[in-house]
Amino acid sequence: MAIVELKNINKDYYLGTTVVHALKNINLTIEKGSFSAIVGPSGSGKTTLLNIIGCIDKSNSGSVQIHGNQIDSLTDNQLTELRLFNIGFIFQSFHLIPVLNVLENIEFPLLLMNKYSKKEIRMKALDMMEAVQITDQKNHRPPELSGGQRQRVAIARALVTNPEIVLADEPTANLDSETGSVILTLMKNLNKTRKTTFLFSTHDPEILKYADSSITIRDGQIDAN
Amino acid sequence: MPIELKIAWRNLFRHKGKSLVIGLILCLGTFIMTIGNGVINGLNTGLQENIVNNFSGDLVLVSDKQIEKTVLASMTGHTLKPITNYSELKPKILTISSIDKILPAGAGYVWVLNENGNPLDQYLLGVDIESYSKFFNNNLIIEKGSLLKKDQRGVLVSTRMRDWYFDFTDSWTVPINTPFDITTAPEKVQKNGTSLQIKNSIVYMGLSSKNASLDILTDVIGIVKFKELNSILGFYCIVDMSSFRECMGYFESSNNTVYISKKNKNLMTSDLESIDTLFNDSFETINESTTEIKNDLTKIKNIAPSPLTEELGTYNIIFVKLKKDLNLHKTITKINTLLKEKKIPLQAISWNEAIGMFGQIAMLMKGALFLFVLFIFIVAIIIIMNTLSMATMERIPEIGMMRAIGTKKRFIQTMFLAETGLLSFVFGGLGILIGSITIIGCRLLNLSTTHEMLQILYGGDTFSPSLDLISVSLCVLQLGLIVCLSSIYPIYLARKISPLDSVLRS
């Protein structure tokens, strides 16, 4: 079952009078429960593609369907809700809220959902902390954590809402190779145990061995599937 | 604690430098605004208390034909329309339940005639001094001489006017039968030495509505000063009612109609000071032996000195004190309606309208103070808005990330408002507190002045800024407005931040 379906996606950026074709006629389907990678050199359009799938950016033409929702016609608030309830994000530079501690950072999206009681939120967050093995640091704030620990918190935050898909933009780019491989192993395990769909971008061919499938992108076009 | 507040609170500590800068601006702004509001409030209450208690009462009643409302300090010198039947009106006025007590008087603009030919102008108040002192709770302090006694004629010159006479005529006013000791006189008087003239009487010339005028020579009975606001209220000197009426050309209680023959009338109205008239053909010679003239003179003599009750004469203003705790403007409207209903030919004017130019100067001062407070208010808004906008731009990645993971614009808006609100609560509250303590300190210092403009600003002789519940609420409201207005643009910027901005910045 397809969780993401892109049809004829084009995305152009305008730099003064110059038009940059970031994505050209992209057609893509991501299956539920998959662990897929988008591979390509820098500037190939990986991040743009992830942004469009994550409802962070809009395409110039074509249609995007996430979990059965046609996103082109959604309002800003509806897109925000879609991101909150259906999509988890893991950023290259972690992007944790610096003034909240580890536990509070993980609880944050659950609080925004306005769906669970305080007790439920705390339980879910603690479970997730255990899953990413960061329980000992629950009262630490992001600046007090290492890169690997921060990315674990980011993964926990992305997964705590139990989203349909988790998008990770170069999740290991700011980590050393050993920590990177630990993080990817963790993501892979979560994909297996929780059946969460993962789509991550990378330009490191070493990381590809963790992916079930890969999408190579070059100059805004998909090379092979 | 809601998560928005928690993030806002911690963000303040995270950006300590910026928080402190904005906080100090807020603290200083609210401090100045509190002081400004305190001075305006002190000016209002001080002026009201001192003028109402010392000078005008809560309101004045004047003839309903009176057009100009600044009846107690008109710059134009227009005379007030006379109230000729006070004795008939008095019982009717006292039936109005909101009125506590009344005092009839005469107020007018006069010239002080002097030897150098340039008349000085001033205000004159004609009263029965006993009733006046009772009505205004002994508002006069005797500096030299005494107050007027019952039925005594004369003037109580204010220290303000005594100084003014001296400045313009080099004559020093001293009460009659009071020895003058130059060693106790002010330095400027002592400097005048031998050329100094001592005056015990003053010639006032009333300015009537037709500009025809009468002049009276009045003995100075006392030199007095008003307990409060002497530099302002001292433009008035106080005379007995009979002298005032004579001066303004009003009928006295003793003015009764005497019918005399046409021949004698011509004789009495002839200009005897002109020598030519005496040799004029038309002039009728006086023959005192004639019975007719003797009879007429007897008639006049019999009537002229008979003092009927004081209240039978003409007045032009009635001071009114209301019963306590009444809303002045509502009561005036009510009294005016009742006056019309009862067919009393009078109108009620509030004290602040009646005092005219003093009120206008006070209004100007209040306006200037208000503009100053407004200026501080705007400057605070601009500085805070600018600092907050810069802080917002620096936080684009953080806000964009929050938007990416599902934070709605409303959450960002609440978070920003909470940050500014918390800062305002702490630092603005501190500013109001320091301002209030400063105001209490100023009152304790008991700073006094004799300068007339400062007396208006102080609302009395001493600087007494005050804060009541309304002024404090006003400070809080102004603070709230600063928070809201200075947050509008930064919030607009923050709401515009998209998740994509965060990704692009990264």
Side-chain angles (χ1 to χ4, degrees):
Chain A
M1 185 192 165
I3 190 103
V4 174
E5 223 176 325
L6 306 185
K7 282 182 188 163
N8 304 319
I9 294 296
N10 286 287
K11 177 71 184 176
D12 299 331
Y13 287 115
Y14 297 90
L15 300 170
T17 50
T18 315
V19 181
V20 178
H21 302 291
L23 295 175
K24 296 170 197 163
N25 205 29
I26 299 280
N27 288 289
L28 179 68
T29 304
I30 306 288
E31 291 299 322
K32 189 174 167 62
S34 62
F35 194 78
S36 310
I38 301 172
V39 196
S42 287
S44 57
K46 301 184 298 288
T47 302
T48 307
L49 185 59
L50 274 181
N51 288 344
I52 287 171
I53 295 168
C55 310
I56 282 175
D57 203 355
K58 284 191 171 180
S59 61
N60 294 110
S61 63
S63 79
V64 182
Q65 219 174 50
I66 313 279
H67 193 232
N69 293 306
Q70 194 72 37
I71 66 159
D72 314 291
S73 55
L74 297 182
T75 62
D76 186 71
N77 262 354
Q78 287 169 325
L79 285 173
T80 307
E81 287 201 350
L82 187 72
R83 285 198 299 268
L84 176 63
F85 285 90
N86 299 98
I87 304 168
F89 289 93
I90 300 168
F91 299 99
Q92 183 179 323
S93 35
F94 325 122
H95 277 326
L96 300 173
I97 299 174
V99 293
L100 298 182
N101 64 28
V102 168
L103 183 63
E104 289 164 339
N105 260 295
I106 298 169
E107 284 180 340
F108 184 68
L110 292 171
L111 287 165
L112 295 177
M113 289 171 96
N114 217 7
K115 189 176 160 187
Y116 304 107
S117 68
K118 274 186 181 175
K119 205 174 169 186
E120 284 174 311
I121 289 171
R122 182 55 49 98
M123 289 291 291
K124 280 174 182 285
L126 288 171
D127 279 354
M128 208 58 239
M129 281 176 71
E130 213 173 303
V132 298
Q133 295 150 29
I134 196 86
T135 315
D136 291 346
Q137 280 78 31
K138 73 170 186 180
N139 292 321
H140 289 58
R141 290 200 184 169
E144 298 159 6
L145 301 174
S146 67
Q149 286 170 328
R150 287 186 209 185
Q151 202 58 300
R152 281 169 193 266
V153 180
I155 293 167
R157 185 182 65 184
L159 283 163
V160 77
T161 56
N162 206 16
E164 298 290 338
I165 184 168
V166 172
L167 304 173
D169 187 13
E170 307 222 21
T172 56
N174 282 342
L175 304 173
D176 60 77
S177 56
E178 196 183 329
T179 317
S181 91
V182 170
I183 290 295
L184 278 165
T185 310
L186 175 69
M187 284 165 62
K188 182 78 182 166
N189 286 341
L190 289 167
N191 165 251
K192 275 185 184 162
T193 53
R194 300 172 79 98
K195 307 287 177 210
T196 308
T197 313
F198 275 82
L199 178 63
F200 62 95
S201 66
T202 183
H203 59 269
D204 184 356
E206 275 297 301
I207 289 170
L208 279 179
K209 63 184 178 194
Y210 294 92
D212 299 338
S213 59
S214 64
I215 304 134
T216 306
I217 190 165
R218 198 181 301 277
D219 298 330
Q221 285 177 311
I222 291 175
D223 261 7
N225 197 343
Chain B
M1 189 194 278
I3 189 74
E4 297 96 317
L5 267 181
K6 193 184 274 181
I7 296 176
W9 178 253
R10 290 184 187 172
N11 265 331
L12 295 180
F13 288 97
R14 187 178 161 222
H15 307 283
K16 281 193 196 94
K18 279 193 193 77
S19 303
L20 204 63
V21 168
I22 298 173
L24 286 176
I25 296 162
L26 273 168
C27 185
L28 186 69
T30 44
F31 169 75
I32 295 170
M33 284 193 301
T34 308
I35 298 284
N37 287 338
V39 173
I40 292 174
N41 195 47
L43 186 159
N44 270 340
T45 48
L47 265 189
Q48 177 160 0
E49 270 177 34
N50 292 324
I51 291 182
V52 167
N53 293 337
N54 276 311
F55 184 64
S56 66
D58 295 297
L59 57 95
V60 293
L61 295 174
V62 290
S63 163
D64 60 355
K65 293 179 186 70
Q66 180 67 35
I67 295 166
E68 198 180 349
K69 309 286 184 197
T70 54
V71 290
L72 283 172
S74 164
M75 294 291 283
T76 59
H78 284 160
T79 50
L80 304 187
K81 301 287 179 207
I83 301 167
T84 51
N85 51 347
Y86 172 73
S87 58
E88 288 168 33
L89 299 178
K90 184 183 173 184
K92 289 184 188 172
I93 296 168
L94 290 173
T95 58
I96 298 172
S97 61
S98 50
I99 290 176
D100 183 31
K101 49 186 175 180
I102 59 174
L103 175 78
Y109 200 56
V110 294
W111 276 354
V112 181
L113 303 184
N114 54 70
E115 288 82 355
N116 68 17
N118 295 321
L120 305 174
D121 49 352
Q122 68 156 86
Y123 299 104
L124 207 58
L125 192 66
V127 289
D128 167 43
I129 194 69
E130 210 173 289
S131 315
Y132 177 81
S133 295
K134 211 169 149 190
F135 189 85
F136 286 115
N137 305 318
N138 301 314
N139 62 338
L140 298 174
I141 299 167
I142 305 161
E143 190 144 290
K144 288 264 189 279
S146 64
L147 289 182
L148 292 160
K149 290 176 184 64
K150 182 89 179 150
D151 296 328
Q152 186 182 16
R153 297 186 70 146
V155 62
L156 301 174
V157 174
S158 68
T159 51
R160 176 82 174 79
M161 291 318 297
R162 178 190 59 183
D163 292 348
W164 210 41
Y165 297 159
F166 176 77
D167 292 342
F168 283 91
T169 64
D170 286 340
S171 61
W172 188 244
T173 312
V174 175
I176 199 159
N177 301 326
T178 306
F180 171 64
D181 179 7
I182 196 154
T183 55
T184 59
E187 201 180 329
K188 62 175 181 180
V189 178
Q190 290 183 28
K191 273 183 189 167
N192 240 353
T194 49
S195 65
L196 182 72
Q197 292 177 40
I198 305 298
K199 277 197 166 179
N200 301 121
S201 59
I202 297 167
V203 179
Y204 289 118
M205 188 166 83
L207 301 175
S208 78
S209 54
K210 289 171 186 167
N211 251 0
S213 52
L214 295 167
D215 54 73
I216 56 163
L217 176 72
T218 44
D219 288 337
V220 177
I221 307 298
I223 303 292
V224 293
K225 60 191 276 189
F226 288 86
K227 267 185 187 166
E228 288 284 343
L229 294 169
N230 186 59
S231 300
I232 300 157
L233 305 181
F235 278 108
Y236 269 92
C237 288
I238 295 168
V239 289
D240 64 284
M241 202 57 218
S242 297
S243 300
F244 180 83
R245 286 175 182 140
E246 269 183 37
C247 182
M248 304 307 288
Y250 290 165
F251 279 103
E252 255 279 62
S253 58
S254 53
N255 293 139
N256 274 345
T257 310
V258 176
Y259 293 100
I260 55 174
S261 66
K262 192 185 170 191
K263 192 171 80 179
N264 286 343
K265 191 180 171 188
N266 287 339
L267 174 64
M268 291 168 92
T269 55
S270 296
D271 186 1
L272 291 175
E273 284 181 14
S274 167
I275 298 293
D276 292 344
T277 319
L278 293 170
F279 301 99
N280 197 318
D281 289 341
S282 62
F283 185 75
E284 296 188 47
T285 53
I286 307 167
N287 184 353
E288 288 211 9
S289 64
T290 59
T291 323
E292 199 183 340
I293 284 185
K294 271 187 180 170
N295 287 344
D296 282 350
L297 284 173
T298 311
K299 276 189 218 167
I300 294 166
K301 273 178 189 169
N302 285 342
I303 284 172
S306 66
L308 300 178
T309 62
E310 183 73 18
E311 290 180 354
L312 281 174
T314 302
Y315 296 92
N316 61 19
I317 193 162
I318 302 165
F319 296 112
V320 176
K321 280 198 177 171
L322 296 173
K323 284 176 182 160
K324 281 189 177 169
D325 302 326
L326 288 172
N327 178 295
L328 182 65
H329 292 283
K330 277 183 189 168
T331 312
I332 284 177
T333 315
K334 207 170 146 190
I335 288 176
N336 275 326
T337 314
L338 284 170
L339 289 170
K340 273 186 188 160
E341 277 173 15
K342 290 173 189 276
K343 293 186 177 160
I344 304 172
L346 298 174
Q347 58 175 317
I349 297 173
S350 68
W351 68 270
N352 46 357
E353 211 175 346
I355 61 166
M357 67 170 174
F358 303 139
Q360 284 157 14
I361 294 169
M363 278 290 285
L364 275 176
M365 284 188 169
K366 269 197 281 183
L369 275 172
F370 179 76
L371 279 179
F372 176 68
V373 170
L374 191 71
F375 175 72
I376 298 294
F377 183 81
I378 291 169
V379 169
I381 287 174
I382 292 172
I383 297 175
I384 294 169
M385 189 167 69
N386 191 40
T387 317
L388 281 177
S389 301
M390 279 160 57
T392 309
M393 300 312 283
E394 282 171 18
R395 286 165 63 185
I396 284 177
E398 182 189 328
I399 295 164
M401 173 274 297
M402 288 170 90
R403 295 276 290 122
I405 63 172
T407 308
K408 287 186 181 168
K409 287 179 177 177
R410 183 183 287 271
F411 183 96
I412 304 290
Q413 180 180 315
T414 313
M415 191 178 78
F416 263 80
L417 264 180
E419 278 181 32
T420 331
L422 283 168
L423 266 181
S424 309
F425 181 74
V426 175
F427 287 95
L430 189 69
I432 293 175
L433 186 72
I434 298 172
S436 305
I437 292 169
T438 311
I439 283 173
I440 293 167
C442 286
R443 289 180 77 95
L444 291 175
L445 281 175
N446 233 4
L447 300 167
S448 62
T449 183
T450 52
H451 191 277
E452 63 196 74
M453 284 299 157
L454 281 178
Q455 282 196 351
I456 293 179
L457 182 69
Y458 291 4
D461 291 3
T462 48
F463 185 47
S464 319
S466 65
L467 279 177
D468 54 13
L469 194 64
I470 295 172
S471 318
V472 176
S473 309
L474 190 67
C475 293
V476 175
L477 183 76
Q478 285 166 335
L479 181 62
L481 269 174
I482 288 180
V483 173
C484 292
L485 292 174
S486 59
S487 303
I488 288 174
Y489 186 62
I491 285 174
Y492 167 76
L493 286 179
R495 279 177 65 101
K496 267 180 56 178
I497 296 170
S498 71
L500 190 62
D501 293 326
S502 170
V503 175
L504 293 176
R505 287 281 175 119
S506 298

